[in-house]
Coordinates of all heavy atoms in Angstrom, one line a residue:
M15 N 74.1 111.2 91.3 CA 75.3 112.0 91.4 C 75.9 112.0 92.8 O 77.0 111.8 93.0 CB 75.0 113.4 90.9 CG 76.2 114.3 90.8 SD 77.3 113.7 89.5 CE 78.8 114.6 89.9
A16 N 74.9 112.2 93.8 CA 75.4 112.2 95.2 C 75.9 110.9 95.6 O 76.9 110.8 96.4 CB 74.2 112.6 96.1
H17 N 75.4 109.8 95.0 CA 75.9 108.5 95.4 C 77.4 108.3 94.9 O 78.2 107.7 95.6 CB 75.0 107.4 94.8 CG 73.6 107.5 95.3 ND1 72.7 108.2 94.7 CD2 73.1 106.9 96.3 CE1 71.5 108.1 95.4 NE2 71.8 107.3 96.4
I18 N 77.6 108.8 93.7 CA 79.0 108.7 93.1 C 79.9 109.5 94.0 O 81.0 109.0 94.3 CB 79.0 109.2 91.7 CG1 78.1 108.3 90.8 CG2 80.4 109.2 91.1 CD1 77.9 108.8 89.4
L19 N 79.5 110.7 94.4 CA 80.4 111.5 95.3 C 80.6 110.8 96.6 O 81.7 110.9 97.1 CB 79.7 112.9 95.5 CG 79.8 113.9 94.4 CD1 79.1 115.2 94.8 CD2 81.2 114.2 94.0
L20 N 79.6 110.2 97.1 CA 79.7 109.5 98.4 C 80.7 108.3 98.3 O 81.6 108.1 99.1 CB 78.4 108.9 98.8 CG 78.3 108.4 100.3 CD1 78.5 109.5 101.2 CD2 77.0 107.6 100.5
V21 N 80.6 107.6 97.1 CA 81.6 106.5 96.9 C 83.0 107.0 96.8 O 84.0 106.5 97.4 CB 81.2 105.7 95.7 CG1 82.3 104.7 95.3 CG2 79.9 104.9 95.9
V22 N 83.2 108.1 96.0 CA 84.5 108.7 95.9 C 85.0 109.2 97.2 O 86.2 109.0 97.5 CB 84.4 109.9 94.9 CG1 85.7 110.7 94.9 CG2 84.1 109.4 93.5
L23 N 84.2 109.8 98.0 CA 84.6 110.3 99.3 C 85.0 109.1 100.2 O 86.1 109.2 100.9 CB 83.4 111.0 100.0 CG 83.7 111.7 101.3 CD1 84.6 112.8 101.1 CD2 82.4 112.1 102.0
I24 N 84.3 108.0 100.2 CA 84.6 106.9 101.1 C 85.9 106.3 100.6 O 86.8 105.9 101.4 CB 83.5 105.8 101.0 CG1 82.3 106.4 101.8 CG2 83.9 104.5 101.6 CD1 81.0 105.5 101.8
M25 N 86.1 106.2 99.2 CA 87.3 105.6 98.7 C 88.5 106.5 99.1 O 89.6 106.0 99.3 CB 87.2 105.4 97.2 CG 86.2 104.4 96.7 SD 86.4 102.8 97.4 CE 87.6 102.1 96.4
S26 N 88.3 107.8 99.0 CA 89.4 108.7 99.4 C 89.8 108.6 100.9 O 91.0 108.5 101.2 CB 89.0 110.2 99.1 OG 88.5 110.3 97.8
C27 N 88.8 108.5 101.7 CA 89.0 108.3 103.2 C 89.8 107.0 103.4 O 90.8 106.9 104.1 CB 87.7 108.2 103.9 SG 86.8 109.7 104.1
D28 N 89.4 105.9 102.7 CA 90.0 104.6 102.8 C 91.5 104.7 102.3 O 92.4 104.1 102.9 CB 89.2 103.6 102.0 CG 89.6 102.2 102.4 OD1 89.3 101.8 103.6 OD2 90.3 101.5 101.6
A29 N 91.7 105.4 101.2 CA 93.1 105.6 100.7 C 94.0 106.3 101.6 O 95.1 105.9 101.8 CB 93.0 106.3 99.3
A30 N 93.4 107.3 102.3 CA 94.2 108.1 103.3 C 94.6 107.2 104.5 O 95.7 107.2 105.0 CB 93.5 109.3 103.8
E31 N 93.6 106.4 104.9 CA 93.9 105.5 106.0 C 94.9 104.4 105.6 O 95.8 104.1 106.4 CB 92.6 104.7 106.5 CG 91.6 105.6 107.3 CD 90.5 104.8 107.8 OE1 90.5 103.5 107.8 OE2 89.6 105.4 108.3
K32 N 94.8 104.0 104.4 CA 95.7 103.0 103.9 C 97.1 103.5 103.8 O 98.1 102.8 104.2 CB 95.3 102.5 102.5 CG 95.6 101.0 102.2 CD 94.9 100.6 100.9 CE 93.5 100.0 101.2 NZ 92.8 99.7 100.0
S33 N 97.3 104.8 103.4 CA 98.6 105.4 103.3 C 99.2 105.5 104.7 O 100.4 105.4 104.9 CB 98.6 106.7 102.6 OG 97.9 107.7 103.3
G34 N 98.3 105.8 105.7 CA 98.8 105.8 107.1 C 99.4 104.5 107.6 O 100.4 104.4 108.2
R35 N 98.6 103.4 107.2 CA 99.1 102.1 107.6 C 100.4 101.7 106.8 O 101.3 101.1 107.4 CB 98.0 101.0 107.2 CG 96.9 101.1 108.2 CD 96.0 99.8 108.1 NE 95.4 99.7 106.8 CZ 94.2 100.2 106.4 NH1 93.5 100.8 107.3 NH2 93.8 100.0 105.2
E36 N 100.5 102.2 105.5 CA 101.7 102.0 104.7 C 102.9 102.6 105.4 O 104.0 102.0 105.4 CB 101.5 102.5 103.3 CG 100.6 101.7 102.4 CD 101.2 100.3 102.2 OE1 102.4 100.2 101.8 OE2 100.4 99.3 102.3
L37 N 102.7 103.8 105.9 CA 103.9 104.5 106.6 C 104.4 103.7 107.7 O 105.6 103.5 107.9 CB 103.4 105.9 107.0 CG 104.5 106.7 107.8 CD1 105.7 107.0 106.9 CD2 103.9 108.0 108.3
I38 N 103.5 103.1 108.6 CA 103.9 102.3 109.7 C 104.6 101.1 109.2 O 105.7 100.7 109.7 CB 102.7 101.9 110.5 CG1 102.0 103.2 111.1 CG2 103.1 101.0 111.7 CD1 100.6 102.9 111.7
K39 N 104.1 100.4 108.2 CA 104.7 99.2 107.6 C 106.1 99.5 107.1 O 107.0 98.8 107.3 CB 103.8 98.7 106.5 CG 103.8 97.2 106.4 CD 103.0 96.7 105.2 CE 101.5 96.8 105.5 NZ 100.7 96.4 104.3
T40 N 106.2 100.7 106.4 CA 107.5 101.1 105.8 C 108.5 101.3 106.9 O 109.7 100.9 106.7 CB 107.3 102.3 105.0 OG1 106.3 102.2 104.0 CG2 108.6 102.7 104.2
C41 N 108.1 101.9 108.0 CA 109.0 102.1 109.1 C 109.6 100.8 109.6 O 110.8 100.7 109.9 CB 108.3 102.9 110.2 SG 108.1 104.6 109.9
Y42 N 108.7 99.8 109.8 CA 109.1 98.6 110.3 C 110.0 97.8 109.3 O 111.0 97.1 109.7 CB 107.9 97.7 110.8 CG 107.4 98.2 112.1 CD1 106.0 98.5 112.2 CD2 108.2 98.2 113.2 CE1 105.5 99.0 113.4 CE2 107.7 98.7 114.4 CZ 106.4 99.0 114.5 OH 105.9 99.5 115.7
L43 N 109.7 97.9 108.0 CA 110.5 97.3 107.0 C 111.9 97.9 107.0 O 112.9 97.1 107.0 CB 109.9 97.4 105.6 CG 108.8 96.5 105.3 CD1 108.2 96.8 103.9 CD2 109.2 95.0 105.4
L44 N 112.0 99.2 107.1 CA 113.3 99.9 107.1 C 114.0 99.5 108.4 O 115.2 99.3 108.4 CB 113.1 101.4 107.1 CG 112.8 102.0 105.7 CD1 112.5 103.5 105.8 CD2 113.9 101.7 104.7
Y45 N 113.3 99.4 109.5 CA 113.9 99.0 110.8 C 114.6 97.6 110.7 O 115.6 97.4 111.2 CB 112.8 99.0 111.9 CG 113.3 98.5 113.2 CD1 114.0 99.3 114.0 CD2 112.9 97.2 113.7 CE1 114.4 98.9 115.3 CE2 113.3 96.8 114.9 CZ 114.1 97.6 115.7 OH 114.5 97.2 116.9
E46 N 113.9 96.7 110.0 CA 114.4 95.4 109.8 C 115.7 95.4 109.0 O 116.6 94.6 109.2 CB 113.4 94.4 109.2 CG 112.4 93.9 110.2 CD 111.3 93.1 109.5 OE1 111.4 92.9 108.2 OE2 110.4 92.7 110.2
R47 N 115.8 96.3 108.0 CA 116.9 96.3 107.0 C 118.1 97.0 107.6 O 119.2 96.6 107.4 CB 116.4 96.9 105.7 CG 115.4 96.0 105.1 CD 115.4 96.1 103.6 NE 114.3 95.2 103.1 CZ 113.5 95.5 102.1 NH1 113.6 96.6 101.5 NH2 112.6 94.7 101.8
V48 N 117.8 98.2 108.2 CA 118.9 99.0 108.8 C 119.3 98.5 110.1 O 118.6 98.8 111.1 CB 118.5 100.5 108.8 CG1 119.7 101.3 109.3 CG2 118.0 101.0 107.5
T49 N 120.3 97.6 110.2 CA 120.5 97.0 111.5 C 121.8 97.6 112.2 O 121.9 97.5 113.4 CB 120.8 95.5 111.3 OG1 121.7 95.3 110.2 CG2 119.5 94.8 111.1
D50 N 122.7 98.2 111.4 CA 123.9 98.6 112.0 C 123.9 100.0 112.7 O 124.7 100.2 113.6 CB 125.1 98.6 111.0 CG 124.6 99.2 109.7 OD1 123.4 99.2 109.4 OD2 125.5 99.7 108.9
D51 N 122.9 100.8 112.3 CA 122.9 102.2 112.9 C 121.8 102.2 114.0 O 120.6 102.3 113.7 CB 122.6 103.2 111.8 CG 123.0 104.6 112.3 OD1 122.9 104.8 113.5 OD2 123.2 105.5 111.4
G52 N 122.3 102.3 115.2 CA 121.3 102.2 116.4 C 120.4 103.5 116.4 O 119.2 103.4 116.7
L53 N 121.0 104.6 116.1 CA 120.2 105.9 116.2 C 119.1 105.9 115.2 O 118.0 106.2 115.5 CB 121.2 107.1 116.0 CG 120.5 108.4 116.2 CD1 120.1 108.6 117.6 CD2 121.5 109.6 115.8
V54 N 119.5 105.5 113.9 CA 118.5 105.4 112.9 C 117.3 104.5 113.2 O 116.1 104.8 113.1 CB 119.1 105.0 111.5 CG1 118.0 104.8 110.5 CG2 120.1 106.1 111.0
N55 N 117.7 103.3 113.8 CA 116.7 102.3 114.2 C 115.8 102.9 115.2 O 114.6 102.7 115.2 CB 117.4 101.1 114.8 CG 117.7 100.1 113.7 OD1 117.2 100.1 112.6 ND2 118.6 99.1 114.1
E56 N 116.4 103.6 116.2 CA 115.6 104.2 117.3 C 114.6 105.2 116.7 O 113.4 105.2 117.1 CB 116.6 104.9 118.3 CG 116.0 105.2 119.6 CD 117.0 106.0 120.5 OE1 118.1 105.4 120.7 OE2 116.7 107.1 120.9
K57 N 115.1 106.0 115.8 CA 114.3 107.1 115.2 C 113.2 106.4 114.4 O 112.0 106.9 114.3 CB 115.1 108.0 114.3 CG 116.0 108.9 115.1 CD 115.2 109.8 116.0 CE 116.2 110.5 117.0 NZ 115.5 111.1 118.2
L58 N 113.5 105.3 113.7 CA 112.5 104.7 112.9 C 111.3 104.1 113.7 O 110.1 104.3 113.4 CB 113.1 103.5 112.1 CG 113.8 103.9 110.8 CD1 114.5 102.7 110.2 CD2 112.8 104.4 109.8
L59 N 111.7 103.6 114.9 CA 110.7 103.1 115.8 C 109.8 104.2 116.4 O 108.6 104.1 116.5 CB 111.3 102.3 117.0 CG 111.8 100.9 116.7 CD1 112.3 100.2 117.9 CD2 110.7 100.1 116.0
E60 N 110.5 105.4 116.6 CA 109.8 106.5 117.1 C 108.8 107.0 116.1 O 107.6 107.3 116.4 CB 110.8 107.7 117.4 CG 111.3 107.7 118.8 CD 112.3 108.8 119.0 OE1 112.2 109.9 118.4 OE2 113.2 108.6 119.8
V61 N 109.2 107.1 114.8 CA 108.3 107.5 113.7 C 107.2 106.5 113.6 O 106.0 106.9 113.4 CB 109.1 107.6 112.4 CG1 108.1 107.9 111.2 CG2 110.1 108.8 112.4
A62 N 107.4 105.2 113.7 CA 106.4 104.2 113.6 C 105.4 104.4 114.8 O 104.2 104.3 114.5 CB 107.0 102.8 113.7
D63 N 105.9 104.6 116.0 CA 105.0 104.8 117.1 C 104.1 106.1 116.9 O 102.9 106.1 117.2 CB 105.8 105.0 118.4 CG 106.2 103.6 118.9 OD1 105.7 102.6 118.5 OD2 107.1 103.6 119.8
Y64 N 104.8 107.1 116.4 CA 104.1 108.4 116.2 C 103.0 108.2 115.1 O 101.9 108.7 115.3 CB 105.1 109.4 115.7 CG 104.6 110.8 115.6 CD1 104.5 111.6 116.7 CD2 104.3 111.3 114.3 CE1 104.0 112.9 116.6 CE2 103.8 112.6 114.2 CZ 103.7 113.4 115.3 OH 103.2 114.7 115.2
A65 N 103.4 107.5 114.0 CA 102.4 107.2 112.9 C 101.3 106.4 113.4 O 100.1 106.6 113.0 CB 103.1 106.6 111.8
K66 N 101.5 105.4 114.3 CA 100.5 104.6 114.9 C 99.5 105.4 115.6 O 98.3 105.3 115.5 CB 101.1 103.5 115.8 CG 101.0 102.1 115.2 CD 101.4 101.1 116.2 CE 102.8 100.6 116.0 NZ 103.2 99.7 117.1
E67 N 100.0 106.4 116.4 CA 99.2 107.2 117.3 C 98.4 108.2 116.5 O 97.2 108.5 116.8 CB 100.0 107.9 118.3 CG 99.2 108.5 119.4 CD 99.9 108.4 120.7 OE1 100.7 107.4 120.9 OE2 99.8 109.3 121.5
W68 N 99.0 108.7 115.4 CA 98.4 109.8 114.7 C 97.9 109.4 113.3 O 97.7 110.3 112.4 CB 99.4 111.0 114.6 CG 99.6 111.6 115.9 CD1 100.7 111.4 116.7 CD2 98.7 112.5 116.6 NE1 100.5 112.1 117.9 CE2 99.4 112.8 117.9 CE3 97.5 113.1 116.3 CZ2 98.8 113.6 118.8 CZ3 97.0 113.9 117.3 CH2 97.6 114.2 118.5
R69 N 97.8 108.1 113.0 CA 97.4 107.8 111.7 C 95.9 108.2 111.4 O 95.1 108.3 112.4 CB 97.5 106.3 111.5 CG 96.4 105.4 112.1 CD 96.8 104.0 112.1 NE 95.9 103.2 112.8 CZ 94.8 102.6 112.4 NH1 94.5 102.8 111.1 NH2 94.0 101.9 113.1
P70 N 95.6 108.6 110.2 CA 94.3 109.1 109.9 C 93.2 108.1 110.0 O 93.3 107.0 109.5 CB 94.4 109.6 108.5 CG 95.5 108.9 107.9 CD 96.5 108.6 109.0
I71 N 92.2 108.4 110.8 CA 91.0 107.5 110.8 C 89.8 108.4 110.6 O 89.6 109.4 111.4 CB 90.9 106.8 112.2 CG1 92.0 105.8 112.4 CG2 89.6 106.0 112.3 CD1 92.1 105.2 113.7
F72 N 89.0 108.2 109.6 CA 87.8 109.0 109.4 C 86.6 108.4 110.0 O 86.4 107.2 110.0 CB 87.6 109.1 107.8 CG 88.7 109.9 107.2 CD1 89.8 109.2 106.7 CD2 88.7 111.2 107.0 CE1 90.9 109.9 106.1 CE2 89.7 111.9 106.4 CZ 90.8 111.2 105.9
S73 N 85.8 109.2 110.6 CA 84.6 108.7 111.2 C 83.4 109.6 110.8 O 83.6 110.8 110.5 CB 84.7 108.5 112.7 OG 84.6 109.8 113.3
A74 N 82.2 109.0 110.8 CA 81.0 109.8 110.5 C 80.5 110.4 111.8 O 79.7 109.7 112.5 CB 79.9 109.0 109.8
A75 N 81.0 111.6 112.2 CA 80.6 112.3 113.4 C 80.8 111.4 114.6 O 80.1 111.5 115.6 CB 79.2 112.8 113.3
G76 N 81.8 110.5 114.6 CA 82.1 109.6 115.7 C 81.1 108.4 115.8 O 81.3 107.6 116.7
F77 N 80.2 108.3 114.9 CA 79.3 107.1 115.0 C 79.9 105.8 114.5 O 79.8 104.8 115.2 CB 78.0 107.4 114.2 CG 77.1 108.4 114.9 CD1 76.9 109.7 114.3 CD2 76.4 108.1 116.0 CE1 76.1 110.6 114.9 CE2 75.6 109.0 116.7 CZ 75.5 110.3 116.1
Y78 N 80.6 105.9 113.4 CA 81.3 104.7 112.9 C 82.4 105.2 112.0 O 82.4 106.3 111.5 CB 80.3 103.8 112.1 CG 79.6 104.5 111.0 CD1 80.1 104.6 109.7 CD2 78.3 105.0 111.2 CE1 79.4 105.2 108.7 CE2 77.6 105.6 110.2 CZ 78.2 105.7 108.9 OH 77.5 106.3 107.9
D79 N 83.4 104.3 111.9 CA 84.6 104.6 111.0 C 84.2 104.5 109.6 O 83.4 103.7 109.2 CB 85.7 103.6 111.3 CG 86.3 103.8 112.6 OD1 86.0 104.9 113.3 OD2 87.1 102.9 113.1
V80 N 84.7 105.5 108.8 CA 84.4 105.4 107.3 C 85.6 104.8 106.6 O 86.7 105.3 106.6 CB 84.3 106.9 106.8 CG1 84.1 106.9 105.3 CG2 83.1 107.5 107.5
N81 N 85.4 103.6 106.1 CA 86.4 102.9 105.3 C 85.6 102.0 104.2 O 84.4 102.2 104.1 CB 87.3 102.1 106.1 CG 86.6 101.1 107.0 OD1 85.5 100.6 106.7 ND2 87.2 100.9 108.2
Q82 N 86.3 101.2 103.6 CA 85.7 100.4 102.5 C 84.5 99.5 103.0 O 83.6 99.2 102.3 CB 86.7 99.6 101.7 CG 87.3 100.3 100.6 CD 88.2 99.5 99.8 OE1 88.8 98.5 100.3 NE2 88.5 100.0 98.6
S83 N 84.7 99.1 104.3 CA 83.6 98.2 104.8 C 82.3 99.0 105.0 O 81.2 98.5 105.0 CB 84.0 97.6 106.2 OG 84.1 98.6 107.2
T84 N 82.4 100.4 105.1 CA 81.2 101.2 105.2 C 80.5 101.1 103.9 O 79.2 101.1 103.9 CB 81.7 102.7 105.3 OG1 82.6 102.8 106.4 CG2 80.5 103.6 105.7
L85 N 81.2 101.0 102.8 CA 80.6 100.9 101.4 C 79.7 99.7 101.3 O 78.6 99.7 100.9 CB 81.7 100.9 100.4 CG 81.4 101.6 99.0 CD1 81.0 103.0 99.2 CD2 82.6 101.5 98.2
T86 N 80.3 98.5 101.7 CA 79.6 97.3 101.6 C 78.4 97.3 102.6 O 77.3 96.8 102.2 CB 80.5 96.1 101.9 OG1 81.1 96.3 103.1 CG2 81.5 95.8 100.8
S87 N 78.5 97.8 103.8 CA 77.4 97.8 104.7 C 76.3 98.7 104.2 O 75.1 98.4 104.4 CB 77.8 98.1 106.1 OG 78.5 99.3 106.2
S88 N 76.7 99.9 103.6 CA 75.6 100.7 103.2 C 74.9 100.2 101.9 O 73.7 100.3 101.7 CB 76.1 102.2 102.9 OG 77.1 102.1 101.9
L89 N 75.7 99.4 101.1 CA 75.1 98.7 100.0 C 74.1 97.7 100.5 O 73.0 97.5 99.9 CB 76.2 98.1 99.1 CG 75.8 97.7 97.7 CD1 75.5 98.9 96.9 CD2 76.9 96.9 97.1
Q90 N 74.5 96.9 101.5 CA 73.6 95.9 102.1 C 72.3 96.6 102.5 O 71.2 96.1 102.3 CB 74.2 95.2 103.3 CG 75.1 94.1 102.9 CD 75.8 93.5 104.2 OE1 75.9 94.2 105.2 NE2 76.2 92.3 104.1
A91 N 72.4 97.7 103.2 CA 71.2 98.4 103.7 C 70.3 98.9 102.6 O 69.1 98.7 102.6 CB 71.6 99.6 104.6
L92 N 71.0 99.4 101.5 CA 70.2 99.8 100.3 C 69.5 98.7 99.7 O 68.3 98.8 99.3 CB 71.2 100.4 99.3 CG 70.6 101.0 98.0 CD1 69.9 102.3 98.4 CD2 71.6 101.2 97.0
I93 N 70.2 97.5 99.5 CA 69.5 96.3 98.9 C 68.3 95.9 99.7 O 67.3 95.6 99.2 CB 70.6 95.2 98.7 CG1 71.5 95.6 97.6 CG2 69.9 93.9 98.3 CD1 72.7 94.7 97.4
T94 N 68.5 95.8 101.1 CA 67.4 95.4 101.9 C 66.2 96.4 101.8 O 65.1 95.9 101.6 CB 67.9 95.5 103.4 OG1 69.1 94.7 103.5 CG2 66.8 94.9 104.3
Y95 N 66.5 97.7 101.7 CA 65.5 98.7 101.5 C 64.7 98.5 100.2 O 63.5 98.5 100.2 CB 66.2 100.1 101.6 CG 65.2 101.2 101.5 CD1 64.3 101.5 102.5 CD2 65.3 102.1 100.4 CE1 63.5 102.6 102.4 CE2 64.5 103.1 100.2 CZ 63.6 103.4 101.2 OH 62.8 104.5 101.1
V96 N 65.5 98.2 99.1 CA 64.9 98.0 97.8 C 64.0 96.8 97.8 O 62.9 96.8 97.3 CB 66.0 98.0 96.7 CG1 65.4 97.5 95.4 CG2 66.6 99.3 96.5
V97 N 64.5 95.7 98.4 CA 63.7 94.5 98.5 C 62.4 94.7 99.2 O 61.3 94.2 98.8 CB 64.6 93.3 99.2 CG1 63.7 92.2 99.5 CG2 65.7 92.9 98.2
I98 N 62.5 95.4 100.4 CA 61.2 95.7 101.1 C 60.3 96.5 100.3 O 59.1 96.3 100.3 CB 61.6 96.4 102.5 CG1 62.3 95.4 103.4 CG2 60.4 96.9 103.1 CD1 62.8 96.0 104.7
L99 N 60.8 97.5 99.6 CA 60.0 98.3 98.7 C 59.3 97.5 97.7 O 58.1 97.7 97.4 CB 60.8 99.4 98.1 CG 61.1 100.7 98.9 CD1 61.8 101.7 98.1 CD2 59.8 101.2 99.5
I100 N 60.0 96.6 97.0 CA 59.5 95.7 96.0 C 58.4 94.8 96.6 O 57.3 94.7 96.0 CB 60.6 94.8 95.4 CG1 61.5 95.7 94.5 CG2 60.0 93.7 94.5 CD1 62.7 95.0 94.0
Q101 N 58.6 94.3 97.8 CA 57.6 93.4 98.4 C 56.4 94.2 98.7 O 55.2 93.8 98.5 CB 58.2 92.8 99.7 CG 59.1 91.7 99.5 CD 59.8 91.2 100.7 OE1 59.8 91.9 101.8 NE2 60.3 90.0 100.7
F102 N 56.5 95.5 99.2 CA 55.4 96.4 99.4 C 54.6 96.6 98.2 O 53.4 96.5 98.2 CB 55.9 97.7 100.0 CG 55.7 97.8 101.5 CD1 56.8 98.1 102.3 CD2 54.4 97.7 102.0 CE1 56.6 98.2 103.7 CE2 54.2 97.8 103.4 CZ 55.3 98.1 104.2
S103 N 55.3 96.9 97.1 CA 54.5 97.2 95.9 C 53.9 96.0 95.3 O 52.8 96.1 94.7 CB 55.5 97.9 94.8 OG 56.4 96.9 94.4
L104 N 54.5 94.8 95.5 CA 53.8 93.6 95.1 C 52.6 93.3 95.9 O 51.5 92.9 95.3 CB 54.8 92.4 95.2 CG 55.9 92.3 94.1 CD1 56.8 91.1 94.4 CD2 55.4 92.3 92.7
S105 N 52.6 93.5 97.2 CA 51.5 93.3 98.0 C 50.4 94.3 97.8 O 49.2 94.0 98.0 CB 51.9 93.2 99.5 OG 52.3 94.5 99.9
L106 N 50.7 95.5 97.4 CA 49.7 96.5 97.1 C 49.0 96.2 95.8 O 47.8 96.4 95.6 CB 50.4 97.9 97.0 CG 50.7 98.5 98.3 CD1 51.3 99.9 98.1 CD2 49.5 98.7 99.2
K107 N 49.7 95.6 94.8 CA 49.1 95.2 93.5 C 48.1 94.1 93.6 O 47.1 94.1 93.0 CB 50.2 94.8 92.5 CG 50.8 96.0 91.7 CD 51.8 95.5 90.7 CE 52.7 96.7 90.3 NZ 53.9 96.2 89.7
S108 N 48.5 93.1 94.5 CA 47.6 91.9 94.6 C 46.4 92.1 95.5 O 46.4 93.1 96.2 CB 48.5 90.7 95.0 OG 49.0 91.0 96.3
Ligands
NAG2 C1 86.3 99.9 109.2 O1 85.3 100.5 110.0 C2 84.7 99.6 110.9 C3 83.7 100.3 111.7 O2 82.8 101.1 110.8 C4 85.8 99.0 111.9 O3 85.2 98.1 112.7 C5 86.9 98.4 111.1 O4 87.9 98.0 111.9 C6 87.5 99.4 110.1 N1 88.5 98.7 109.2 C7 89.7 99.1 109.1 C8 90.6 98.4 108.2 O5 90.1 100.1 109.7

């Protein structure tokens, strides 16, 4: 159960980070399309800079960033652990 919650938590963190990146991307896309209004362009760049500076980044107490790559690396660690446990139990049996 705790594992499922952890996966959901990591996916939620990743989704929030992704939406932060989407906002920056959207600002630049709008900037490219709205060419005639200088003030709007300026404001779009300001929002993009602001979003870049304040985009959400989740970290585990500052040790590492929490995103989808966290999921794969923790899965790798889990698999390594299970393989070592299997090897131990095999060597104890023989
Ligand atoms: C995910 O987190 C790792 C560190 O845990 C970091 O190196 C990487 O840049 C992050 N990926 C994204 C897309 O932010």
Side-chain angles (χ1 to χ4, degrees):
M15 187 64 198
H17 298 89
I18 296 171
L19 284 180
L20 192 67
V21 169
V22 169
L23 185 69
I24 290 175
M25 296 304 277
S26 307
C27 291
D28 196 70
E31 284 188 10
K32 214 170 269 173
S33 69
R35 286 194 301 269
E36 286 294 315
L37 176 63
I38 300 169
K39 213 183 286 175
T40 307
C41 285
Y42 283 123
L43 280 179
L44 285 174
Y45 175 77
E46 281 175 3
R47 295 206 181 142
V48 184
T49 47
D50 42 336
D51 196 334
L53 185 67
V54 171
N55 271 347
E56 195 182 304
K57 290 296 169 196
L58 278 171
L59 282 185
E60 269 177 33
V61 171
D63 283 344
Y64 189 80
K66 251 190 256 177
E67 196 143 326
W68 293 99
R69 75 190 172 91
I71 295 174
F72 295 89
S73 76
F77 287 111
Y78 54 88
D79 289 348
V80 175
N81 55 33
Q82 269 181 343
S83 70
T84 314
L85 212 56
T86 51
S87 57
S88 59
L89 196 68
Q90 276 177 337
L92 181 74
I93 288 172
T94 308
Y95 182 67
V96 167
V97 165
I98 289 173
L99 281 185
I100 290 171
Q101 285 175 339
F102 257 121
S103 69
L104 285 181
S105 67
L106 283 180
K107 271 182 198 163
S108 61

